[in-house]
mmCIF file with all atom_site columns, all heavy atoms in Angstrom:
data_model
loop_
_atom_site.group_PDB
_atom_site.id
_atom_site.type_symbol
_atom_site.label_atom_id
_atom_site.label_alt_id
_atom_site.label_comp_id
_atom_site.label_asym_id
_atom_site.label_entity_id
_atom_site.label_seq_id
_atom_site.pdbx_PDB_ins_code
_atom_site.Cartn_x
_atom_site.Cartn_y
_atom_site.Cartn_z
_atom_site.occupancy
_atom_site.B_iso_or_equiv
_atom_site.pdbx_formal_charge
_atom_site.auth_seq_id
_atom_site.auth_comp_id
_atom_site.auth_asym_id
_atom_site.auth_atom_id
_atom_site.pdbx_PDB_model_num
ATOM 1   N N   . ALA A 1 1  ? -18.119 1.013   -1.117 1.00 44.00 ? 1  ALA A N   1
ATOM 2   C CA  . ALA A 1 1  ? -17.236 -0.148  -0.658 1.00 44.00 ? 1  ALA A CA  1
ATOM 3   C C   . ALA A 1 1  ? -16.500 -0.071  0.641  1.00 44.00 ? 1  ALA A C   1
ATOM 4   O O   . ALA A 1 1  ? -16.318 -1.063  1.417  1.00 44.00 ? 1  ALA A O   1
ATOM 5   C CB  . ALA A 1 1  ? -16.199 -0.410  -1.854 1.00 44.00 ? 1  ALA A CB  1
ATOM 6   N N   . ALA A 1 2  ? -16.105 1.223   0.920  1.00 42.00 ? 2  ALA A N   1
ATOM 7   C CA  . ALA A 1 2  ? -15.492 1.403   2.207  1.00 42.00 ? 2  ALA A CA  1
ATOM 8   C C   . ALA A 1 2  ? -16.405 1.148   3.394  1.00 42.00 ? 2  ALA A C   1
ATOM 9   O O   . ALA A 1 2  ? -15.931 0.602   4.473  1.00 42.00 ? 2  ALA A O   1
ATOM 10  C CB  . ALA A 1 2  ? -14.991 2.873   2.319  1.00 42.00 ? 2  ALA A CB  1
ATOM 11  N N   . LYS A 1 3  ? -17.633 1.384   3.297  1.00 56.00 ? 3  LYS A N   1
ATOM 12  C CA  . LYS A 1 3  ? -18.655 1.135   4.404  1.00 56.00 ? 3  LYS A CA  1
ATOM 13  C C   . LYS A 1 3  ? -18.732 -0.364  4.582  1.00 56.00 ? 3  LYS A C   1
ATOM 14  O O   . LYS A 1 3  ? -19.066 -0.821  5.641  1.00 56.00 ? 3  LYS A O   1
ATOM 15  C CB  . LYS A 1 3  ? -19.897 1.763   3.974  1.00 56.00 ? 3  LYS A CB  1
ATOM 16  C CG  . LYS A 1 3  ? -19.985 3.253   3.974  1.00 56.00 ? 3  LYS A CG  1
ATOM 17  C CD  . LYS A 1 3  ? -21.339 3.754   3.595  1.00 56.00 ? 3  LYS A CD  1
ATOM 18  C CE  . LYS A 1 3  ? -21.393 5.312   3.539  1.00 56.00 ? 3  LYS A CE  1
ATOM 19  N NZ  . LYS A 1 3  ? -22.656 5.754   3.163  1.00 56.00 ? 3  LYS A NZ  1
ATOM 20  N N   . GLU A 1 4  ? -18.533 -1.153  3.523  1.00 77.00 ? 4  GLU A N   1
ATOM 21  C CA  . GLU A 1 4  ? -18.805 -2.637  3.618  1.00 77.00 ? 4  GLU A CA  1
ATOM 22  C C   . GLU A 1 4  ? -17.380 -3.376  4.105  1.00 77.00 ? 4  GLU A C   1
ATOM 23  O O   . GLU A 1 4  ? -17.587 -4.393  4.659  1.00 77.00 ? 4  GLU A O   1
ATOM 24  C CB  . GLU A 1 4  ? -19.137 -3.149  2.217  1.00 77.00 ? 4  GLU A CB  1
ATOM 25  C CG  . GLU A 1 4  ? -20.453 -2.577  1.752  1.00 77.00 ? 4  GLU A CG  1
ATOM 26  C CD  . GLU A 1 4  ? -20.771 -3.113  0.372  1.00 77.00 ? 4  GLU A CD  1
ATOM 27  O OE1 . GLU A 1 4  ? -19.880 -3.687  -0.284 1.00 77.00 ? 4  GLU A OE1 1
ATOM 28  O OE2 . GLU A 1 4  ? -21.910 -2.647  -0.167 1.00 77.00 ? 4  GLU A OE2 1
ATOM 29  N N   . SER A 1 5  ? -16.316 -2.748  3.838  1.00 95.00 ? 5  SER A N   1
ATOM 30  C CA  . SER A 1 5  ? -15.052 -3.484  4.137  1.00 95.00 ? 5  SER A CA  1
ATOM 31  C C   . SER A 1 5  ? -14.358 -2.647  5.277  1.00 95.00 ? 5  SER A C   1
ATOM 32  O O   . SER A 1 5  ? -14.146 -1.513  5.064  1.00 95.00 ? 5  SER A O   1
ATOM 33  C CB  . SER A 1 5  ? -14.186 -3.658  2.912  1.00 95.00 ? 5  SER A CB  1
ATOM 34  O OG  . SER A 1 5  ? -14.843 -4.307  1.944  1.00 95.00 ? 5  SER A OG  1
ATOM 35  N N   . PRO A 1 6  ? -13.583 -3.383  6.232  1.00 97.00 ? 6  PRO A N   1
ATOM 36  C CA  . PRO A 1 6  ? -12.777 -2.727  7.042  1.00 97.00 ? 6  PRO A CA  1
ATOM 37  C C   . PRO A 1 6  ? -11.506 -2.177  6.298  1.00 97.00 ? 6  PRO A C   1
ATOM 38  O O   . PRO A 1 6  ? -10.994 -2.781  5.394  1.00 97.00 ? 6  PRO A O   1
ATOM 39  C CB  . PRO A 1 6  ? -12.224 -3.862  8.110  1.00 97.00 ? 6  PRO A CB  1
ATOM 40  C CG  . PRO A 1 6  ? -13.309 -4.848  7.783  1.00 97.00 ? 6  PRO A CG  1
ATOM 41  C CD  . PRO A 1 6  ? -13.728 -4.845  6.449  1.00 97.00 ? 6  PRO A CD  1
ATOM 42  N N   . VAL A 1 7  ? -11.056 -0.952  6.779  1.00 97.00 ? 7  VAL A N   1
ATOM 43  C CA  . VAL A 1 7  ? -10.006 -0.348  6.134  1.00 97.00 ? 7  VAL A CA  1
ATOM 44  C C   . VAL A 1 7  ? -8.822  -0.167  7.199  1.00 97.00 ? 7  VAL A C   1
ATOM 45  O O   . VAL A 1 7  ? -8.973  0.296   8.263  1.00 97.00 ? 7  VAL A O   1
ATOM 46  C CB  . VAL A 1 7  ? -10.328 1.074   5.714  1.00 97.00 ? 7  VAL A CB  1
ATOM 47  C CG1 . VAL A 1 7  ? -9.133  1.842   5.154  1.00 97.00 ? 7  VAL A CG1 1
ATOM 48  C CG2 . VAL A 1 7  ? -11.323 1.006   4.522  1.00 97.00 ? 7  VAL A CG2 1
ATOM 49  N N   . VAL A 1 8  ? -7.599  -0.664  6.821  1.00 97.00 ? 8  VAL A N   1
ATOM 50  C CA  . VAL A 1 8  ? -6.465  -0.620  7.627  1.00 97.00 ? 8  VAL A CA  1
ATOM 51  C C   . VAL A 1 8  ? -5.331  0.222   6.968  1.00 97.00 ? 8  VAL A C   1
ATOM 52  O O   . VAL A 1 8  ? -4.965  0.017   5.829  1.00 97.00 ? 8  VAL A O   1
ATOM 53  C CB  . VAL A 1 8  ? -5.851  -1.950  7.873  1.00 97.00 ? 8  VAL A CB  1
ATOM 54  C CG1 . VAL A 1 8  ? -4.449  -1.764  8.674  1.00 97.00 ? 8  VAL A CG1 1
ATOM 55  C CG2 . VAL A 1 8  ? -6.856  -2.799  8.756  1.00 97.00 ? 8  VAL A CG2 1
ATOM 56  N N   . ASP A 1 9  ? -5.153  1.461   7.510  1.00 97.00 ? 9  ASP A N   1
ATOM 57  C CA  . ASP A 1 9  ? -4.047  2.294   7.091  1.00 97.00 ? 9  ASP A CA  1
ATOM 58  C C   . ASP A 1 9  ? -2.990  2.326   8.103  1.00 97.00 ? 9  ASP A C   1
ATOM 59  O O   . ASP A 1 9  ? -3.159  3.071   9.090  1.00 97.00 ? 9  ASP A O   1
ATOM 60  C CB  . ASP A 1 9  ? -4.671  3.714   6.640  1.00 97.00 ? 9  ASP A CB  1
ATOM 61  C CG  . ASP A 1 9  ? -3.667  4.675   6.288  1.00 97.00 ? 9  ASP A CG  1
ATOM 62  O OD1 . ASP A 1 9  ? -2.506  4.257   5.906  1.00 97.00 ? 9  ASP A OD1 1
ATOM 63  O OD2 . ASP A 1 9  ? -3.908  5.942   6.243  1.00 97.00 ? 9  ASP A OD2 1
ATOM 64  N N   . LEU A 1 10 ? -2.046  1.644   7.900  1.00 98.00 ? 10 LEU A N   1
ATOM 65  C CA  . LEU A 1 10 ? -1.024  1.562   9.049  1.00 98.00 ? 10 LEU A CA  1
ATOM 66  C C   . LEU A 1 10 ? 0.091   2.569   8.746  1.00 98.00 ? 10 LEU A C   1
ATOM 67  O O   . LEU A 1 10 ? 0.712   2.634   7.711  1.00 98.00 ? 10 LEU A O   1
ATOM 68  C CB  . LEU A 1 10 ? -0.367  0.168   9.103  1.00 98.00 ? 10 LEU A CB  1
ATOM 69  C CG  . LEU A 1 10 ? 0.846   -0.076  10.117 1.00 98.00 ? 10 LEU A CG  1
ATOM 70  C CD1 . LEU A 1 10 ? 0.335   0.206   11.473 1.00 98.00 ? 10 LEU A CD1 1
ATOM 71  C CD2 . LEU A 1 10 ? 1.464   -1.401  9.857  1.00 98.00 ? 10 LEU A CD2 1
ATOM 72  N N   . LEU A 1 11 ? 0.503   3.462   9.698  1.00 97.00 ? 11 LEU A N   1
ATOM 73  C CA  . LEU A 1 11 ? 1.528   4.459   9.575  1.00 97.00 ? 11 LEU A CA  1
ATOM 74  C C   . LEU A 1 11 ? 2.748   3.776   10.244 1.00 97.00 ? 11 LEU A C   1
ATOM 75  O O   . LEU A 1 11 ? 2.628   3.347   11.407 1.00 97.00 ? 11 LEU A O   1
ATOM 76  C CB  . LEU A 1 11 ? 1.046   5.589   10.272 1.00 97.00 ? 11 LEU A CB  1
ATOM 77  C CG  . LEU A 1 11 ? 2.113   6.781   10.329 1.00 97.00 ? 11 LEU A CG  1
ATOM 78  C CD1 . LEU A 1 11 ? 2.393   7.212   8.939  1.00 97.00 ? 11 LEU A CD1 1
ATOM 79  C CD2 . LEU A 1 11 ? 1.564   7.998   11.226 1.00 97.00 ? 11 LEU A CD2 1
ATOM 80  N N   . HIS A 1 12 ? 3.864   3.778   9.587  1.00 97.00 ? 12 HIS A N   1
ATOM 81  C CA  . HIS A 1 12 ? 4.947   3.012   10.073 1.00 97.00 ? 12 HIS A CA  1
ATOM 82  C C   . HIS A 1 12 ? 6.257   3.553   9.472  1.00 97.00 ? 12 HIS A C   1
ATOM 83  O O   . HIS A 1 12 ? 6.255   4.437   8.563  1.00 97.00 ? 12 HIS A O   1
ATOM 84  C CB  . HIS A 1 12 ? 4.796   1.547   9.734  1.00 97.00 ? 12 HIS A CB  1
ATOM 85  C CG  . HIS A 1 12 ? 4.809   1.169   8.226  1.00 97.00 ? 12 HIS A CG  1
ATOM 86  N ND1 . HIS A 1 12 ? 5.929   0.964   7.503  1.00 97.00 ? 12 HIS A ND1 1
ATOM 87  C CD2 . HIS A 1 12 ? 3.742   1.261   7.405  1.00 97.00 ? 12 HIS A CD2 1
ATOM 88  C CE1 . HIS A 1 12 ? 5.647   0.780   6.286  1.00 97.00 ? 12 HIS A CE1 1
ATOM 89  N NE2 . HIS A 1 12 ? 4.300   0.913   6.172  1.00 97.00 ? 12 HIS A NE2 1
ATOM 90  N N   . PHE A 1 13 ? 7.336   2.846   9.816  1.00 96.00 ? 13 PHE A N   1
ATOM 91  C CA  . PHE A 1 13 ? 8.742   3.263   9.428  1.00 96.00 ? 13 PHE A CA  1
ATOM 92  C C   . PHE A 1 13 ? 9.453   2.097   8.826  1.00 96.00 ? 13 PHE A C   1
ATOM 93  O O   . PHE A 1 13 ? 10.678  2.078   8.882  1.00 96.00 ? 13 PHE A O   1
ATOM 94  C CB  . PHE A 1 13 ? 9.492   4.177   10.513 1.00 96.00 ? 13 PHE A CB  1
ATOM 95  C CG  . PHE A 1 13 ? 9.593   3.399   11.654 1.00 96.00 ? 13 PHE A CG  1
ATOM 96  C CD1 . PHE A 1 13 ? 10.779  2.724   11.890 1.00 96.00 ? 13 PHE A CD1 1
ATOM 97  C CD2 . PHE A 1 13 ? 8.636   3.387   12.590 1.00 96.00 ? 13 PHE A CD2 1
ATOM 98  C CE1 . PHE A 1 13 ? 10.950  1.998   13.261 1.00 96.00 ? 13 PHE A CE1 1
ATOM 99  C CE2 . PHE A 1 13 ? 8.738   2.665   13.889 1.00 96.00 ? 13 PHE A CE2 1
ATOM 100 C CZ  . PHE A 1 13 ? 9.888   1.988   14.177 1.00 96.00 ? 13 PHE A CZ  1
ATOM 101 N N   . TRP A 1 14 ? 8.841   0.954   8.531  1.00 97.00 ? 14 TRP A N   1
ATOM 102 C CA  . TRP A 1 14 ? 9.380   -0.235  8.108  1.00 97.00 ? 14 TRP A CA  1
ATOM 103 C C   . TRP A 1 14 ? 9.661   -0.116  6.645  1.00 97.00 ? 14 TRP A C   1
ATOM 104 O O   . TRP A 1 14 ? 8.686   -0.349  5.818  1.00 97.00 ? 14 TRP A O   1
ATOM 105 C CB  . TRP A 1 14 ? 8.579   -1.446  8.435  1.00 97.00 ? 14 TRP A CB  1
ATOM 106 C CG  . TRP A 1 14 ? 8.589   -1.792  9.843  1.00 97.00 ? 14 TRP A CG  1
ATOM 107 C CD1 . TRP A 1 14 ? 9.660   -1.625  10.822 1.00 97.00 ? 14 TRP A CD1 1
ATOM 108 C CD2 . TRP A 1 14 ? 7.671   -2.524  10.626 1.00 97.00 ? 14 TRP A CD2 1
ATOM 109 N NE1 . TRP A 1 14 ? 9.345   -2.068  12.063 1.00 97.00 ? 14 TRP A NE1 1
ATOM 110 C CE2 . TRP A 1 14 ? 8.098   -2.654  11.929 1.00 97.00 ? 14 TRP A CE2 1
ATOM 111 C CE3 . TRP A 1 14 ? 6.346   -3.109  10.275 1.00 97.00 ? 14 TRP A CE3 1
ATOM 112 C CZ2 . TRP A 1 14 ? 7.346   -3.370  12.865 1.00 97.00 ? 14 TRP A CZ2 1
ATOM 113 C CZ3 . TRP A 1 14 ? 5.679   -3.767  11.323 1.00 97.00 ? 14 TRP A CZ3 1
ATOM 114 C CH2 . TRP A 1 14 ? 6.160   -3.924  12.620 1.00 97.00 ? 14 TRP A CH2 1
ATOM 115 N N   . ILE A 1 15 ? 10.874  0.232   6.224  1.00 96.00 ? 15 ILE A N   1
ATOM 116 C CA  . ILE A 1 15 ? 11.086  0.433   4.822  1.00 96.00 ? 15 ILE A CA  1
ATOM 117 C C   . ILE A 1 15 ? 12.267  -0.420  4.224  1.00 96.00 ? 15 ILE A C   1
ATOM 118 O O   . ILE A 1 15 ? 12.370  -0.471  2.985  1.00 96.00 ? 15 ILE A O   1
ATOM 119 C CB  . ILE A 1 15 ? 11.374  1.884   4.415  1.00 96.00 ? 15 ILE A CB  1
ATOM 120 C CG1 . ILE A 1 15 ? 12.630  2.372   5.253  1.00 96.00 ? 15 ILE A CG1 1
ATOM 121 C CG2 . ILE A 1 15 ? 10.315  2.784   4.748  1.00 96.00 ? 15 ILE A CG2 1
ATOM 122 C CD1 . ILE A 1 15 ? 13.105  3.755   4.863  1.00 96.00 ? 15 ILE A CD1 1
ATOM 123 N N   . SER A 1 16 ? 12.973  -1.151  5.048  1.00 96.00 ? 16 SER A N   1
ATOM 124 C CA  . SER A 1 16 ? 14.009  -2.061  4.546  1.00 96.00 ? 16 SER A CA  1
ATOM 125 C C   . SER A 1 16 ? 13.443  -3.302  4.005  1.00 96.00 ? 16 SER A C   1
ATOM 126 O O   . SER A 1 16 ? 12.337  -3.585  4.309  1.00 96.00 ? 16 SER A O   1
ATOM 127 C CB  . SER A 1 16 ? 15.070  -2.331  5.647  1.00 96.00 ? 16 SER A CB  1
ATOM 128 O OG  . SER A 1 16 ? 14.543  -3.101  6.642  1.00 96.00 ? 16 SER A OG  1
ATOM 129 N N   . PRO A 1 17 ? 14.150  -4.097  3.273  1.00 97.00 ? 17 PRO A N   1
ATOM 130 C CA  . PRO A 1 17 ? 13.648  -5.258  2.664  1.00 97.00 ? 17 PRO A CA  1
ATOM 131 C C   . PRO A 1 17 ? 13.165  -6.208  3.739  1.00 97.00 ? 17 PRO A C   1
ATOM 132 O O   . PRO A 1 17 ? 12.108  -6.831  3.570  1.00 97.00 ? 17 PRO A O   1
ATOM 133 C CB  . PRO A 1 17 ? 14.848  -5.954  1.916  1.00 97.00 ? 17 PRO A CB  1
ATOM 134 C CG  . PRO A 1 17 ? 15.640  -4.702  1.474  1.00 97.00 ? 17 PRO A CG  1
ATOM 135 C CD  . PRO A 1 17 ? 15.478  -3.773  2.558  1.00 97.00 ? 17 PRO A CD  1
ATOM 136 N N   . GLY A 1 18 ? 13.911  -6.512  4.746  1.00 97.00 ? 18 GLY A N   1
ATOM 137 C CA  . GLY A 1 18 ? 13.458  -7.403  5.798  1.00 97.00 ? 18 GLY A CA  1
ATOM 138 C C   . GLY A 1 18 ? 12.153  -6.827  6.562  1.00 97.00 ? 18 GLY A C   1
ATOM 139 O O   . GLY A 1 18 ? 11.253  -7.586  6.841  1.00 97.00 ? 18 GLY A O   1
ATOM 140 N N   . GLU A 1 19 ? 12.173  -5.562  6.744  1.00 98.00 ? 19 GLU A N   1
ATOM 141 C CA  . GLU A 1 19 ? 10.957  -4.928  7.512  1.00 98.00 ? 19 GLU A CA  1
ATOM 142 C C   . GLU A 1 19 ? 9.662   -5.112  6.565  1.00 98.00 ? 19 GLU A C   1
ATOM 143 O O   . GLU A 1 19 ? 8.632   -5.446  7.018  1.00 98.00 ? 19 GLU A O   1
ATOM 144 C CB  . GLU A 1 19 ? 11.272  -3.542  7.760  1.00 98.00 ? 19 GLU A CB  1
ATOM 145 C CG  . GLU A 1 19 ? 12.169  -3.385  8.822  1.00 98.00 ? 19 GLU A CG  1
ATOM 146 C CD  . GLU A 1 19 ? 12.712  -1.855  8.940  1.00 98.00 ? 19 GLU A CD  1
ATOM 147 O OE1 . GLU A 1 19 ? 12.663  -1.156  7.962  1.00 98.00 ? 19 GLU A OE1 1
ATOM 148 O OE2 . GLU A 1 19 ? 13.064  -1.486  10.120 1.00 98.00 ? 19 GLU A OE2 1
ATOM 149 N N   . ILE A 1 20 ? 9.876   -4.888  5.283  1.00 98.00 ? 20 ILE A N   1
ATOM 150 C CA  . ILE A 1 20 ? 8.844   -4.921  4.304  1.00 98.00 ? 20 ILE A CA  1
ATOM 151 C C   . ILE A 1 20 ? 8.252   -6.442  4.207  1.00 98.00 ? 20 ILE A C   1
ATOM 152 O O   . ILE A 1 20 ? 7.036   -6.704  4.190  1.00 98.00 ? 20 ILE A O   1
ATOM 153 C CB  . ILE A 1 20 ? 9.166   -4.495  2.927  1.00 98.00 ? 20 ILE A CB  1
ATOM 154 C CG1 . ILE A 1 20 ? 9.454   -2.934  3.132  1.00 98.00 ? 20 ILE A CG1 1
ATOM 155 C CG2 . ILE A 1 20 ? 8.107   -4.696  1.917  1.00 98.00 ? 20 ILE A CG2 1
ATOM 156 C CD1 . ILE A 1 20 ? 10.041  -2.382  1.739  1.00 98.00 ? 20 ILE A CD1 1
ATOM 157 N N   . SER A 1 21 ? 9.178   -7.354  4.317  1.00 98.00 ? 21 SER A N   1
ATOM 158 C CA  . SER A 1 21 ? 8.767   -8.743  4.224  1.00 98.00 ? 21 SER A CA  1
ATOM 159 C C   . SER A 1 21 ? 7.940   -9.154  5.420  1.00 98.00 ? 21 SER A C   1
ATOM 160 O O   . SER A 1 21 ? 6.924   -9.827  5.373  1.00 98.00 ? 21 SER A O   1
ATOM 161 C CB  . SER A 1 21 ? 10.100  -9.613  4.139  1.00 98.00 ? 21 SER A CB  1
ATOM 162 O OG  . SER A 1 21 ? 9.721   -11.006 4.270  1.00 98.00 ? 21 SER A OG  1
ATOM 163 N N   . ALA A 1 22 ? 8.355   -8.704  6.680  1.00 98.00 ? 22 ALA A N   1
ATOM 164 C CA  . ALA A 1 22 ? 7.538   -8.801  7.825  1.00 98.00 ? 22 ALA A CA  1
ATOM 165 C C   . ALA A 1 22 ? 6.183   -8.109  7.693  1.00 98.00 ? 22 ALA A C   1
ATOM 166 O O   . ALA A 1 22 ? 5.265   -8.714  8.193  1.00 98.00 ? 22 ALA A O   1
ATOM 167 C CB  . ALA A 1 22 ? 8.300   -8.344  9.079  1.00 98.00 ? 22 ALA A CB  1
ATOM 168 N N   . LEU A 1 23 ? 6.262   -6.930  7.283  1.00 98.00 ? 23 LEU A N   1
ATOM 169 C CA  . LEU A 1 23 ? 5.012   -6.079  7.130  1.00 98.00 ? 23 LEU A CA  1
ATOM 170 C C   . LEU A 1 23 ? 3.976   -6.896  6.263  1.00 98.00 ? 23 LEU A C   1
ATOM 171 O O   . LEU A 1 23 ? 2.767   -6.823  6.469  1.00 98.00 ? 23 LEU A O   1
ATOM 172 C CB  . LEU A 1 23 ? 5.306   -4.779  6.610  1.00 98.00 ? 23 LEU A CB  1
ATOM 173 C CG  . LEU A 1 23 ? 4.218   -3.728  6.466  1.00 98.00 ? 23 LEU A CG  1
ATOM 174 C CD1 . LEU A 1 23 ? 3.465   -3.402  7.806  1.00 98.00 ? 23 LEU A CD1 1
ATOM 175 C CD2 . LEU A 1 23 ? 4.628   -2.494  5.745  1.00 98.00 ? 23 LEU A CD2 1
ATOM 176 N N   . ASN A 1 24 ? 4.535   -7.509  5.218  1.00 98.00 ? 24 ASN A N   1
ATOM 177 C CA  . ASN A 1 24 ? 3.617   -8.293  4.225  1.00 98.00 ? 24 ASN A CA  1
ATOM 178 C C   . ASN A 1 24 ? 2.933   -9.390  4.892  1.00 98.00 ? 24 ASN A C   1
ATOM 179 O O   . ASN A 1 24 ? 1.796   -9.797  4.413  1.00 98.00 ? 24 ASN A O   1
ATOM 180 C CB  . ASN A 1 24 ? 4.485   -8.807  3.076  1.00 98.00 ? 24 ASN A CB  1
ATOM 181 C CG  . ASN A 1 24 ? 4.899   -7.625  2.131  1.00 98.00 ? 24 ASN A CG  1
ATOM 182 O OD1 . ASN A 1 24 ? 4.416   -6.542  2.224  1.00 98.00 ? 24 ASN A OD1 1
ATOM 183 N ND2 . ASN A 1 24 ? 5.992   -7.988  1.291  1.00 98.00 ? 24 ASN A ND2 1
ATOM 184 N N   . THR A 1 25 ? 3.355   -9.863  6.007  1.00 98.00 ? 25 THR A N   1
ATOM 185 C CA  . THR A 1 25 ? 2.661   -10.925 6.687  1.00 98.00 ? 25 THR A CA  1
ATOM 186 C C   . THR A 1 25 ? 1.445   -10.313 7.309  1.00 98.00 ? 25 THR A C   1
ATOM 187 O O   . THR A 1 25 ? 0.370   -10.962 7.530  1.00 98.00 ? 25 THR A O   1
ATOM 188 C CB  . THR A 1 25 ? 3.365   -11.688 7.797  1.00 98.00 ? 25 THR A CB  1
ATOM 189 O OG1 . THR A 1 25 ? 3.732   -10.648 8.862  1.00 98.00 ? 25 THR A OG1 1
ATOM 190 C CG2 . THR A 1 25 ? 4.801   -12.113 7.216  1.00 98.00 ? 25 THR A CG2 1
ATOM 191 N N   . ILE A 1 26 ? 1.467   -9.017  7.823  1.00 98.00 ? 26 ILE A N   1
ATOM 192 C CA  . ILE A 1 26 ? 0.270   -8.376  8.394  1.00 98.00 ? 26 ILE A CA  1
ATOM 193 C C   . ILE A 1 26 ? -0.658  -7.988  7.343  1.00 98.00 ? 26 ILE A C   1
ATOM 194 O O   . ILE A 1 26 ? -1.923  -8.160  7.359  1.00 98.00 ? 26 ILE A O   1
ATOM 195 C CB  . ILE A 1 26 ? 0.744   -7.037  9.161  1.00 98.00 ? 26 ILE A CB  1
ATOM 196 C CG1 . ILE A 1 26 ? 1.612   -7.448  10.400 1.00 98.00 ? 26 ILE A CG1 1
ATOM 197 C CG2 . ILE A 1 26 ? -0.432  -6.292  9.662  1.00 98.00 ? 26 ILE A CG2 1
ATOM 198 C CD1 . ILE A 1 26 ? 2.158   -6.396  11.187 1.00 98.00 ? 26 ILE A CD1 1
ATOM 199 N N   . SER A 1 27 ? -0.232  -7.436  6.145  1.00 98.00 ? 27 SER A N   1
ATOM 200 C CA  . SER A 1 27 ? -1.113  -7.020  5.056  1.00 98.00 ? 27 SER A CA  1
ATOM 201 C C   . SER A 1 27 ? -1.901  -8.256  4.456  1.00 98.00 ? 27 SER A C   1
ATOM 202 O O   . SER A 1 27 ? -3.004  -8.098  4.120  1.00 98.00 ? 27 SER A O   1
ATOM 203 C CB  . SER A 1 27 ? -0.366  -6.327  4.068  1.00 98.00 ? 27 SER A CB  1
ATOM 204 O OG  . SER A 1 27 ? 0.567   -7.130  3.361  1.00 98.00 ? 27 SER A OG  1
ATOM 205 N N   . ALA A 1 28 ? -1.189  -9.306  4.386  1.00 98.00 ? 28 ALA A N   1
ATOM 206 C CA  . ALA A 1 28 ? -1.770  -10.562 3.886  1.00 98.00 ? 28 ALA A CA  1
ATOM 207 C C   . ALA A 1 28 ? -2.980  -10.935 4.729  1.00 98.00 ? 28 ALA A C   1
ATOM 208 O O   . ALA A 1 28 ? -3.993  -11.379 4.232  1.00 98.00 ? 28 ALA A O   1
ATOM 209 C CB  . ALA A 1 28 ? -0.774  -11.695 3.721  1.00 98.00 ? 28 ALA A CB  1
ATOM 210 N N   . GLN A 1 29 ? -2.854  -10.845 6.114  1.00 98.00 ? 29 GLN A N   1
ATOM 211 C CA  . GLN A 1 29 ? -3.791  -11.246 7.011  1.00 98.00 ? 29 GLN A CA  1
ATOM 212 C C   . GLN A 1 29 ? -5.039  -10.283 6.859  1.00 98.00 ? 29 GLN A C   1
ATOM 213 O O   . GLN A 1 29 ? -6.221  -10.742 6.869  1.00 98.00 ? 29 GLN A O   1
ATOM 214 C CB  . GLN A 1 29 ? -3.305  -11.239 8.466  1.00 98.00 ? 29 GLN A CB  1
ATOM 215 C CG  . GLN A 1 29 ? -2.484  -12.319 8.854  1.00 98.00 ? 29 GLN A CG  1
ATOM 216 C CD  . GLN A 1 29 ? -3.310  -13.520 9.305  1.00 98.00 ? 29 GLN A CD  1
ATOM 217 O OE1 . GLN A 1 29 ? -4.534  -13.635 9.039  1.00 98.00 ? 29 GLN A OE1 1
ATOM 218 N NE2 . GLN A 1 29 ? -2.582  -14.523 9.905  1.00 98.00 ? 29 GLN A NE2 1
ATOM 219 N N   . VAL A 1 30 ? -4.776  -9.038  6.743  1.00 98.00 ? 30 VAL A N   1
ATOM 220 C CA  . VAL A 1 30 ? -5.819  -8.043  6.405  1.00 98.00 ? 30 VAL A CA  1
ATOM 221 C C   . VAL A 1 30 ? -6.593  -8.296  5.210  1.00 98.00 ? 30 VAL A C   1
ATOM 222 O O   . VAL A 1 30 ? -7.843  -8.425  5.271  1.00 98.00 ? 30 VAL A O   1
ATOM 223 C CB  . VAL A 1 30 ? -5.291  -6.570  6.377  1.00 98.00 ? 30 VAL A CB  1
ATOM 224 C CG1 . VAL A 1 30 ? -6.302  -5.614  5.982  1.00 98.00 ? 30 VAL A CG1 1
ATOM 225 C CG2 . VAL A 1 30 ? -4.592  -6.148  7.778  1.00 98.00 ? 30 VAL A CG2 1
#
């Protein structure tokens, strides 16, 4: 499955509620 689908593993430090909310806009796009 990994060979067929792009994998995004983002290393970050966004852990507050607002930061996670913004991060979710990126994960949704992925």
Side-chain angles (χ1 to χ4, degrees):
K3 290 178 182 177
E4 297 173 359
S5 301
V7 174
V8 173
D9 177 16
L10 177 64
L11 180 61
H12 64 90
F13 56 97
W14 285 335
I15 60 173
S16 71
E19 291 171 333
I20 292 171
S21 177
L23 184 63
N24 287 342
T25 70
I26 295 178
S27 65
Q29 285 277 11
V30 170

